[in-house]
PDB file of all heavy atoms in Angstrom:
ATOM      1  N   VAL U 280      33.897  45.452  17.686  1.00 94.00           N
ATOM      2  CA  VAL U 280      32.711  44.608  17.842  1.00 94.00           C
ATOM      3  C   VAL U 280      32.582  44.101  19.288  1.00 94.00           C
ATOM      4  O   VAL U 280      31.516  44.117  19.901  1.00 94.00           O
ATOM      5  CB  VAL U 280      32.752  43.421  16.868  1.00 94.00           C
ATOM      6  CG1 VAL U 280      31.578  42.431  17.135  1.00 94.00           C
ATOM      7  CG2 VAL U 280      32.623  43.909  15.439  1.00 94.00           C
ATOM      8  N   ARG U 281      33.722  43.703  19.822  1.00 91.00           N
ATOM      9  CA  ARG U 281      33.702  43.207  21.243  1.00 91.00           C
ATOM     10  C   ARG U 281      33.285  44.297  22.200  1.00 91.00           C
ATOM     11  O   ARG U 281      32.452  44.073  23.096  1.00 91.00           O
ATOM     12  CB  ARG U 281      35.086  42.727  21.610  1.00 91.00           C
ATOM     13  CG  ARG U 281      35.189  42.216  23.046  1.00 91.00           C
ATOM     14  CD  ARG U 281      36.586  41.736  23.385  1.00 91.00           C
ATOM     15  NE  ARG U 281      36.736  41.271  24.712  1.00 91.00           N
ATOM     16  CZ  ARG U 281      37.843  40.879  25.317  1.00 91.00           C
ATOM     17  NH1 ARG U 281      38.956  40.889  24.599  1.00 91.00           N
ATOM     18  NH2 ARG U 281      37.833  40.500  26.579  1.00 91.00           N
ATOM     19  N   ARG U 282      33.785  45.518  21.981  1.00 92.00           N
ATOM     20  CA  ARG U 282      33.389  46.644  22.890  1.00 92.00           C
ATOM     21  C   ARG U 282      31.894  46.972  22.705  1.00 92.00           C
ATOM     22  O   ARG U 282      31.265  47.303  23.659  1.00 92.00           O
ATOM     23  CB  ARG U 282      34.240  47.880  22.524  1.00 92.00           C
ATOM     24  CG  ARG U 282      34.219  48.976  23.573  1.00 92.00           C
ATOM     25  CD  ARG U 282      34.826  48.549  24.845  1.00 92.00           C
ATOM     26  NE  ARG U 282      35.186  49.674  25.703  1.00 92.00           N
ATOM     27  CZ  ARG U 282      35.514  49.614  26.959  1.00 92.00           C
ATOM     28  NH1 ARG U 282      35.598  48.424  27.518  1.00 92.00           N
ATOM     29  NH2 ARG U 282      35.824  50.700  27.671  1.00 92.00           N
ATOM     30  N   ALA U 283      31.415  46.871  21.504  1.00 94.00           N
ATOM     31  CA  ALA U 283      30.010  47.124  21.258  1.00 94.00           C
ATOM     32  C   ALA U 283      29.105  46.140  22.032  1.00 94.00           C
ATOM     33  O   ALA U 283      28.069  46.513  22.635  1.00 94.00           O
ATOM     34  CB  ALA U 283      29.676  47.057  19.754  1.00 94.00           C
ATOM     35  N   GLN U 284      29.498  44.874  22.003  1.00 92.00           N
ATOM     36  CA  GLN U 284      28.738  43.887  22.729  1.00 92.00           C
ATOM     37  C   GLN U 284      28.786  44.130  24.243  1.00 92.00           C
ATOM     38  O   GLN U 284      27.769  44.000  24.935  1.00 92.00           O
ATOM     39  CB  GLN U 284      29.266  42.482  22.416  1.00 92.00           C
ATOM     40  CG  GLN U 284      29.077  42.042  20.947  1.00 92.00           C
ATOM     41  CD  GLN U 284      27.631  41.881  20.571  1.00 92.00           C
ATOM     42  OE1 GLN U 284      26.753  41.749  21.438  1.00 92.00           O
ATOM     43  NE2 GLN U 284      27.352  41.916  19.262  1.00 92.00           N
ATOM     44  N   GLN U 285      29.955  44.499  24.752  1.00 91.00           N
ATOM     45  CA  GLN U 285      30.091  44.841  26.207  1.00 91.00           C
ATOM     46  C   GLN U 285      29.139  46.005  26.543  1.00 91.00           C
ATOM     47  O   GLN U 285      28.428  45.938  27.570  1.00 91.00           O
ATOM     48  CB  GLN U 285      31.514  45.181  26.496  1.00 91.00           C
ATOM     49  CG  GLN U 285      32.464  44.015  26.453  1.00 91.00           C
ATOM     50  CD  GLN U 285      33.905  44.445  26.654  1.00 91.00           C
ATOM     51  OE1 GLN U 285      34.254  45.613  26.506  1.00 91.00           O
ATOM     52  NE2 GLN U 285      34.756  43.533  27.147  1.00 91.00           N
ATOM     53  N   ILE U 286      29.165  47.033  25.733  1.00 93.00           N
ATOM     54  CA  ILE U 286      28.331  48.194  26.018  1.00 93.00           C
ATOM     55  C   ILE U 286      26.870  47.858  25.953  1.00 93.00           C
ATOM     56  O   ILE U 286      26.063  48.293  26.797  1.00 93.00           O
ATOM     57  CB  ILE U 286      28.659  49.366  25.008  1.00 93.00           C
ATOM     58  CG1 ILE U 286      30.114  49.831  25.262  1.00 93.00           C
ATOM     59  CG2 ILE U 286      27.707  50.519  25.173  1.00 93.00           C
ATOM     60  CD1 ILE U 286      30.661  50.763  24.196  1.00 93.00           C
ATOM     61  N   LYS U 287      26.459  47.049  25.021  1.00 93.00           N
ATOM     62  CA  LYS U 287      25.052  46.595  24.932  1.00 93.00           C
ATOM     63  C   LYS U 287      24.642  45.858  26.217  1.00 93.00           C
ATOM     64  O   LYS U 287      23.521  45.978  26.684  1.00 93.00           O
ATOM     65  CB  LYS U 287      24.850  45.723  23.700  1.00 93.00           C
ATOM     66  CG  LYS U 287      24.908  46.480  22.389  1.00 93.00           C
ATOM     67  CD  LYS U 287      24.121  45.783  21.290  1.00 93.00           C
ATOM     68  CE  LYS U 287      24.495  44.351  21.107  1.00 93.00           C
ATOM     69  NZ  LYS U 287      23.681  43.676  20.075  1.00 93.00           N
ATOM     70  N   GLU U 288      25.543  45.053  26.723  1.00 92.00           N
ATOM     71  CA  GLU U 288      25.247  44.325  27.978  1.00 92.00           C
ATOM     72  C   GLU U 288      25.054  45.297  29.159  1.00 92.00           C
ATOM     73  O   GLU U 288      24.151  45.142  29.982  1.00 92.00           O
ATOM     74  CB  GLU U 288      26.370  43.349  28.266  1.00 92.00           C
ATOM     75  CG  GLU U 288      26.419  42.176  27.287  1.00 92.00           C
ATOM     76  CD  GLU U 288      27.589  41.259  27.590  1.00 92.00           C
ATOM     77  OE1 GLU U 288      28.283  41.457  28.592  1.00 92.00           O
ATOM     78  OE2 GLU U 288      27.807  40.312  26.749  1.00 92.00           O
ATOM     79  N   PHE U 289      25.931  46.346  29.204  1.00 92.00           N
ATOM     80  CA  PHE U 289      25.792  47.353  30.273  1.00 92.00           C
ATOM     81  C   PHE U 289      24.435  48.043  30.164  1.00 92.00           C
ATOM     82  O   PHE U 289      23.798  48.310  31.158  1.00 92.00           O
ATOM     83  CB  PHE U 289      26.941  48.384  30.167  1.00 92.00           C
ATOM     84  CG  PHE U 289      28.325  47.868  30.558  1.00 92.00           C
ATOM     85  CD1 PHE U 289      29.415  48.253  29.813  1.00 92.00           C
ATOM     86  CD2 PHE U 289      28.468  47.010  31.614  1.00 92.00           C
ATOM     87  CE1 PHE U 289      30.649  47.788  30.153  1.00 92.00           C
ATOM     88  CE2 PHE U 289      29.709  46.531  31.963  1.00 92.00           C
ATOM     89  CZ  PHE U 289      30.854  46.921  31.239  1.00 92.00           C
ATOM     90  N   ILE U 290      24.016  48.324  28.953  1.00 93.00           N
ATOM     91  CA  ILE U 290      22.742  49.030  28.738  1.00 93.00           C
ATOM     92  C   ILE U 290      21.612  48.157  29.173  1.00 93.00           C
ATOM     93  O   ILE U 290      20.647  48.591  29.861  1.00 93.00           O
ATOM     94  CB  ILE U 290      22.632  49.480  27.283  1.00 93.00           C
ATOM     95  CG1 ILE U 290      23.655  50.524  26.911  1.00 93.00           C
ATOM     96  CG2 ILE U 290      21.224  49.986  26.984  1.00 93.00           C
ATOM     97  CD1 ILE U 290      23.767  50.843  25.436  1.00 93.00           C
ATOM     98  N   ALA U 291      21.631  46.888  28.757  1.00 92.00           N
ATOM     99  CA  ALA U 291      20.530  45.961  29.063  1.00 92.00           C
ATOM    100  C   ALA U 291      20.439  45.772  30.565  1.00 92.00           C
ATOM    101  O   ALA U 291      19.366  45.737  31.131  1.00 92.00           O
ATOM    102  CB  ALA U 291      20.773  44.599  28.379  1.00 92.00           C
ATOM    103  N   ASN U 292      21.581  45.723  31.281  1.00 91.00           N
ATOM    104  CA  ASN U 292      21.590  45.457  32.702  1.00 91.00           C
ATOM    105  C   ASN U 292      21.107  46.711  33.448  1.00 91.00           C
ATOM    106  O   ASN U 292      20.672  46.599  34.607  1.00 91.00           O
ATOM    107  CB  ASN U 292      22.978  45.053  33.192  1.00 91.00           C
ATOM    108  CG  ASN U 292      23.344  43.669  32.712  1.00 91.00           C
ATOM    109  OD1 ASN U 292      22.519  42.829  32.421  1.00 91.00           O
ATOM    110  ND2 ASN U 292      24.670  43.414  32.557  1.00 91.00           N
ATOM    111  N   ALA U 293      21.254  47.893  32.845  1.00 90.00           N
ATOM    112  CA  ALA U 293      20.854  49.131  33.547  1.00 90.00           C
ATOM    113  C   ALA U 293      19.387  49.253  33.717  1.00 90.00           C
ATOM    114  O   ALA U 293      18.901  49.880  34.626  1.00 90.00           O
ATOM    115  CB  ALA U 293      21.416  50.338  32.760  1.00 90.00           C
ATOM    116  N   ASN U 294      18.574  48.620  32.798  1.00 86.00           N
ATOM    117  CA  ASN U 294      17.124  48.670  32.919  1.00 86.00           C
ATOM    118  C   ASN U 294      16.614  50.060  33.148  1.00 86.00           C
ATOM    119  O   ASN U 294      15.930  50.369  34.154  1.00 86.00           O
ATOM    120  CB  ASN U 294      16.645  47.704  34.032  1.00 86.00           C
ATOM    121  CG  ASN U 294      15.115  47.517  34.001  1.00 86.00           C
ATOM    122  OD1 ASN U 294      14.488  47.623  32.920  1.00 86.00           O
ATOM    123  ND2 ASN U 294      14.551  47.219  35.160  1.00 86.00           N
ATOM    124  N   THR U 295      16.945  50.988  32.249  1.00 89.00           N
ATOM    125  CA  THR U 295      16.679  52.387  32.436  1.00 89.00           C
ATOM    126  C   THR U 295      15.773  52.947  31.316  1.00 89.00           C
ATOM    127  O   THR U 295      15.627  52.316  30.226  1.00 89.00           O
ATOM    128  CB  THR U 295      17.987  53.199  32.407  1.00 89.00           C
ATOM    129  OG1 THR U 295      17.702  54.581  32.527  1.00 89.00           O
ATOM    130  CG2 THR U 295      18.766  52.934  31.150  1.00 89.00           C
ATOM    131  N   LYS U 296      15.139  54.068  31.595  1.00 91.00           N
ATOM    132  CA  LYS U 296      14.340  54.751  30.581  1.00 91.00           C
ATOM    133  C   LYS U 296      15.153  55.541  29.611  1.00 91.00           C
ATOM    134  O   LYS U 296      14.661  56.052  28.580  1.00 91.00           O
ATOM    135  CB  LYS U 296      13.337  55.661  31.265  1.00 91.00           C
ATOM    136  CG  LYS U 296      12.244  54.946  32.069  1.00 91.00           C
ATOM    137  CD  LYS U 296      11.279  55.907  32.675  1.00 91.00           C
ATOM    138  CE  LYS U 296      10.182  55.184  33.494  1.00 91.00           C
ATOM    139  NZ  LYS U 296       9.253  56.156  34.116  1.00 91.00           N
ATOM    140  N   VAL U 297      16.453  55.738  29.932  1.00 93.00           N
ATOM    141  CA  VAL U 297      17.338  56.460  29.007  1.00 93.00           C
ATOM    142  C   VAL U 297      17.488  55.657  27.710  1.00 93.00           C
ATOM    143  O   VAL U 297      17.662  54.449  27.761  1.00 93.00           O
ATOM    144  CB  VAL U 297      18.691  56.674  29.651  1.00 93.00           C
ATOM    145  CG1 VAL U 297      19.612  57.487  28.688  1.00 93.00           C
ATOM    146  CG2 VAL U 297      18.567  57.450  30.934  1.00 93.00           C
ATOM    147  N   LYS U 298      17.374  56.303  26.580  1.00 95.00           N
ATOM    148  CA  LYS U 298      17.422  55.652  25.300  1.00 95.00           C
ATOM    149  C   LYS U 298      18.891  55.658  24.787  1.00 95.00           C
ATOM    150  O   LYS U 298      19.511  56.726  24.748  1.00 95.00           O
ATOM    151  CB  LYS U 298      16.528  56.303  24.254  1.00 95.00           C
ATOM    152  CG  LYS U 298      15.052  56.348  24.667  1.00 95.00           C
ATOM    153  CD  LYS U 298      14.494  54.936  24.833  1.00 95.00           C
ATOM    154  CE  LYS U 298      12.996  55.010  25.220  1.00 95.00           C
ATOM    155  NZ  LYS U 298      12.470  53.612  25.416  1.00 95.00           N
TER     156      LYS U 298
END
Side-chain angles (χ1 to χ4, degrees):
V280 173
R281 179 180 179 184
R282 194 67 163 167
Q284 295 295 340
Q285 290 175 337
I286 294 170
K287 289 205 306 177
E288 291 176 7
F289 290 141
I290 294 169
N292 292 334
N294 190 26
T295 176
K296 294 181 180 180
V297 182
K298 301 299 182 183

